[in-house]
Amino acid sequence: MTEAESARQDPAGAPGYRPIADHGLIGDLHTAALVDTGGTIVWYCCPRFDAPSVFGSILDAERGGSFELGTVAPARTKQFYFPDTNVLITRFSAADGVGEIQDFMPIAGDTGDTGGTGGTADGVRHRLIRRVRCVRGSLPFRARVAPRFDYGRQSHVLSVHGGRAVFESPSLSLTLSSSTTLEADGRDVRSEFKLNEGECAVFALDRFGDDVALRSCPIEEAEEEFAATVAYWRRWLSSSNYRGRWREMVHRSALTLKLLTYAPTGGIVAAVTTSLPEQIGGERNWDYRYVWIRDSAFCVYALLRLGFGEEAEAFMGFLSRHVSRDGGCASGPLQIMYGIDGRTELPETELSHLEGYQGSAPVRVGNAAVDQLQLDIYGALLDSVYLYDKWHQPISSALWDDVHILVDWVCDNWDQPDEGVWETRGGRKDFVYSRLMCWVAIERAMRMAAHRGLPADTPRWQRARDAIYRQIMRRGWSAELRAFVQHFDDDVLDASVLMMPMAKFISPTDPKWLSTLDALGANLVSDSLVYRYDPAVSPDGLRGEDGTFSICSFWYVEGLTRAGRLDEARLAFEKMLTYANHLGLYAEEIGQTGEQLGNFPQAFTHLALISAAFNLDHALG
């Protein structure tokens, strides 16, 4: 992987904020942290992805809190992952030496840290380890640990004794242990030390409770934890069956999707952050730390493609626990999203005391879209169930009963407007993509029933499936644009229809589809980057502009691939790879000048990269 270089000074932009792309991700399958290219942890929620932040300076440089660690000397930094792992290394090159920080979070159950006398209420300590090494010459280092509990809303009490500091707030307590001397600096902790070549220092941040003894982290123990964490990630990645082109990018995407998995329930979060803006200074700022049925289903598809079945099994368990068998709510037997623990209420509030990334307010917690009707989730989900049954193992009789419930509901409810895949807040419409995925839901269930001999109301299902097909072909096609459109009886283009040949609704060489592909290329594609739609033509109820949506850009690559336009597909794919950050990570969108925008890193983008690479590599031979 190419290593990114960044100056030790603040980069261009708002003071105190680095570009969204200038961050790496570490995690322990319960929560995660973002580390910027200068060695500062700017985002960390404990003990779960959706818990209030402890370090949140990415959303407010002054009030959010951070964990700074780096050399005092003027230096240039490079950041990369320890090969085939999620262990992040930040290197400092100065006049008098070279040093590095190894950031990682041990995986509970793999390093012996599984609870018992050393665990916490959920059985996981949630340890974040930072190992500092001087690899050449000598370097002075400085650390400053400034937690701001509950998004900066709770104060804390600090006590420091030698190499240990304890931060206690009403809702959470953390202990910082170090091989260096720690000093109080108001409510924060700092440490200054010098390392010579071959020397090492360790900082370990642990969650603890009243019934849990404080724990230190000697240098030898940190070495053991490092080795165990590296072994875990390499062992996990060894299950991949991908041997094609762009293997490093595909595997980095797979490792990222794994980091977005909440191990206790099998849920997969859309991203680890909240409120990173889709437009600097705009209001399109959302909390993505939840389990979207659609996103998780697509993740299952991507991971199954690579040979990872454990995550698919876990998500099928999550699904079975949350299908409502008594009719459910207005959105049907499933909500569009859930909390990572399966909770159904995610009230959306604004944190007015935080200024937002580069002043992009509001900062939101929770997500009001939870109550939306998005019919496409049923197709995304049942397609993943179908592929799980086909590629991994036959589904259980109980899961088939759930499938039956879902399909029966779709047959009764497919012909109604909804908010659509993009969660617009401008009112319901008859979105073509929603109808398409209702067709997918029924069609995949019919395939499973026929293949496995499972009981099904086949005549009824077939009537609904065929009615959807005819309606899309009649009302979803614009003779004027010579393309399938965003919603019925209008002439608005939408990149979501790129899924039509991928879903096997239409042949990728059908004249209507080829004409649609050309129309999308002429109107929504900008040098391989694809806009979802034009908000000026199709108002979505929100102010501001939309950047190009990276999942759509990878969908476009697949559309070109399936249409046989391989030279164009390969060039578009290679161009998209240039928009990744220095670690191979993507946010949700790409801005006008190539900057990454939106929550980071984004599951949607990485799963689409895997699918596009897999299919393009196969087509190239």
Side-chain angles (χ1 to χ4, degrees):
M1 176 63 61
T2 302
E3 299 172 347
E5 297 189 357
S6 64
R8 234 347 232 169
Q9 303 83 22
D10 279 340
Y17 297 96
R18 292 177 183 265
I20 290 173
D22 283 5
H23 297 86
L25 179 72
I26 59 172
D28 64 358
L29 309 184
H30 289 75
T31 187
L34 291 182
V35 185
D36 72 20
T37 49
T40 297
I41 296 177
V42 298
W43 182 252
Y44 175 55
C45 299
C46 185
R48 315 187 323 179
F49 291 111
D50 59 353
S53 63
V54 175
F55 303 129
S57 61
I58 198 169
L59 294 179
D60 194 308
E62 295 297 323
R63 302 179 187 88
S66 63
F67 188 157
E68 300 174 11
L69 181 59
T71 180
V72 179
R76 298 186 65 81
T77 64
K78 295 183 178 182
Q79 203 173 55
F80 64 99
Y81 279 110
F82 201 77
D84 295 335
T85 76
N86 280 315
V87 174
L88 185 66
I89 310 239
T90 306
R91 305 202 96 195
F92 303 88
S93 299
D96 295 327
V98 177
E100 68 181 29
I101 304 171
Q102 299 171 345
D103 283 315
F104 62 97
M105 297 177 69
I107 308 300
D110 199 73
T111 61
D113 187 10
T114 56
T117 57
T120 53
D122 64 356
V124 181
R125 177 173 288 276
H126 305 295
R127 164 164 277 196
L128 194 161
I129 296 178
R130 315 197 74 186
R131 288 209 311 169
V132 191
R133 299 175 63 239
C134 182
V135 296
R136 297 182 66 184
S138 64
L139 282 177
F141 288 91
R142 178 172 55 206
R144 179 175 175 271
V145 185
R148 298 293 181 264
F149 293 92
D150 190 25
Y151 305 110
R153 294 180 296 190
Q154 288 185 4
S155 61
H156 64 268
V157 176
L158 169 67
S159 59
V160 179
H161 305 282
R164 170 176 291 144
V166 177
F167 305 91
E168 295 182 272
S169 78
S171 61
L172 179 68
S173 295
L174 298 175
T175 176
L176 175 72
S177 56
S178 176
S179 59
T180 70
T181 300
L182 303 176
E183 298 179 358
D185 183 8
R187 56 178 174 168
D188 306 330
V189 167
R190 62 184 175 88
S191 178
E192 296 186 3
F193 54 97
K194 185 175 183 179
L195 296 178
N196 296 316
E197 185 170 327
E199 292 181 336
C200 175
V202 171
F203 295 83
L205 189 67
D206 287 285
R207 174 197 177 199
F208 75 98
D210 293 338
D211 58 341
V212 179
L214 295 177
R215 178 174 170 182
S216 61
C217 187
I219 291 177
E220 295 78 11
E221 182 179 342
E223 175 65 32
E224 294 171 1
E225 299 259 32
F226 174 85
T229 304
V230 166
Y232 171 85
W233 289 115
R234 288 182 169 172
R235 185 166 61 250
W236 181 81
L237 191 61
S238 68
S239 297
S240 171
N241 58 24
Y242 188 76
R243 301 293 182 268
R245 301 166 179 83
W246 314 292
R247 184 179 176 189
E248 189 171 357
M249 287 296 291
V250 168
H251 280 174
R252 177 49 52 198
S253 289
L255 283 163
T256 302
L257 293 181
K258 181 64 173 176
L259 272 181
L260 300 181
T261 302
Y262 184 60
T265 64
I268 303 171
V269 297
V272 303
T273 56
T274 179
S275 302
L276 293 184
E278 297 175 18
Q279 179 188 17
I280 302 300
E283 68 171 352
R284 297 170 183 262
N285 317 321
W286 314 110
D287 192 346
Y288 277 13
R289 298 171 299 159
Y290 305 114
V291 180
W292 268 257
I293 292 296
R294 174 194 311 109
D295 300 41
S296 296
F298 283 157
C299 285
V300 166
Y301 161 78
L303 292 172
L304 279 172
R305 266 293 189 198
L306 302 181
F308 298 105
E310 178 183 332
E311 292 68 29
E313 289 183 31
F315 180 66
M316 292 302 153
F318 183 92
L319 164 66
S320 294
R321 291 190 295 273
H322 297 103
V323 172
S324 174
R325 294 164 180 81
D326 58 1
C329 54
S331 62
L334 287 173
Q335 293 185 175
I336 68 166
M337 73 178 89
Y338 296 86
I340 57 175
D341 55 359
R343 69 187 187 280
T344 56
E345 295 185 5
L346 306 172
E348 183 175 296
T349 59
E350 296 183 2
L351 303 181
S352 58
H353 66 288
L354 298 179
E355 71 168 6
Y357 175 80
Q358 292 194 19
S360 303
V363 172
R364 292 185 173 96
V365 172
N367 200 304
V370 68
D371 296 321
Q372 287 190 356
L373 176 65
Q374 297 176 20
L375 293 168
D376 69 282
I377 66 170
Y378 294 98
L381 176 60
L382 290 177
D383 191 41
S384 72
V385 174
Y386 164 74
L387 294 174
Y388 175 85
D389 180 79
K390 178 180 179 181
W391 291 341
H392 186 59
Q393 66 181 18
I395 64 171
S396 66
S397 57
L399 183 53
W400 177 251
D401 289 342
D402 292 335
V403 168
H404 211 292
I405 291 171
L406 298 176
V407 177
D408 283 344
W409 187 90
V410 171
C411 287
D412 290 335
N413 293 276
W414 63 267
D415 193 12
Q416 61 177 310
D418 70 345
E419 276 85 6
V421 61
W422 306 132
E423 295 181 1
T424 59
R425 301 194 178 190
R428 294 182 176 182
K429 298 177 182 177
D430 289 304
F431 289 104
V432 170
Y433 181 78
S434 297
R435 295 295 200 279
L436 165 70
M437 297 309 285
C438 285
W439 179 91
V440 169
I442 302 170
E443 199 274 342
R444 297 305 189 266
M446 291 177 63
R447 284 196 196 192
M448 282 189 284
H451 175 67
R452 297 275 313 282
L454 296 168
D457 192 351
T458 303
R460 177 171 177 254
W461 291 4
Q462 183 171 340
R463 284 194 300 272
R465 181 199 65 180
D466 295 349
I468 297 171
Y469 178 90
R470 287 191 291 267
Q471 189 185 71
I472 291 175
M473 299 301 285
R474 183 177 70 254
R475 299 178 60 193
W477 169 261
S478 168
E480 181 177 340
L481 295 180
R482 296 193 54 75
F484 291 102
V485 291
Q486 183 187 70
H487 54 271
F488 288 164
D489 307 322
D490 207 339
D491 294 324
V492 177
L493 292 172
D494 192 301
S496 63
V497 301
L498 285 164
M499 279 291 293
M500 296 178 85
M502 287 188 271
K504 304 189 185 307
F505 177 87
I506 193 170
S507 165
T509 57
D510 186 289
K512 281 190 172 182
W513 172 248
L514 294 177
S515 178
T516 299
L517 191 59
D518 289 338
L520 294 171
N523 293 277
L524 295 182
V525 179
S526 173
D527 189 40
S528 84
L529 299 175
V530 181
Y531 292 93
R532 293 183 289 182
Y533 52 88
D534 184 352
V537 178
S538 179
D540 55 17
L542 296 167
R543 296 186 298 272
E545 299 177 354
D546 209 22
T548 58
F549 216 65
S550 293
I551 188 175
C552 297
S553 301
F554 285 119
W555 282 351
Y556 184 60
V557 170
E558 282 212 55
L560 293 171
T561 299
R562 293 171 186 268
R565 293 157 59 173
L566 297 185
D567 287 342
E568 293 176 70
R570 185 167 191 176
L571 180 59
F573 186 78
E574 294 285 1
K575 285 182 177 179
M576 271 303 297
L577 296 186
T578 69
Y579 290 104
N581 82 343
H582 55 290
L583 299 168
L585 304 181
Y586 290 87
E588 185 175 30
E589 300 185 11
I590 304 295
Q592 188 66 34
T593 58
E595 71 277 15
Q596 298 214 32
L597 296 170
N599 284 308
F600 176 89
Q602 174 84 345
F604 241 178
T605 306
H606 287 279
L607 64 89
L609 183 154
I610 292 171
S611 181
F614 189 97
N615 286 289
L616 179 57
D617 179 73
H618 179 75
L620 290 171

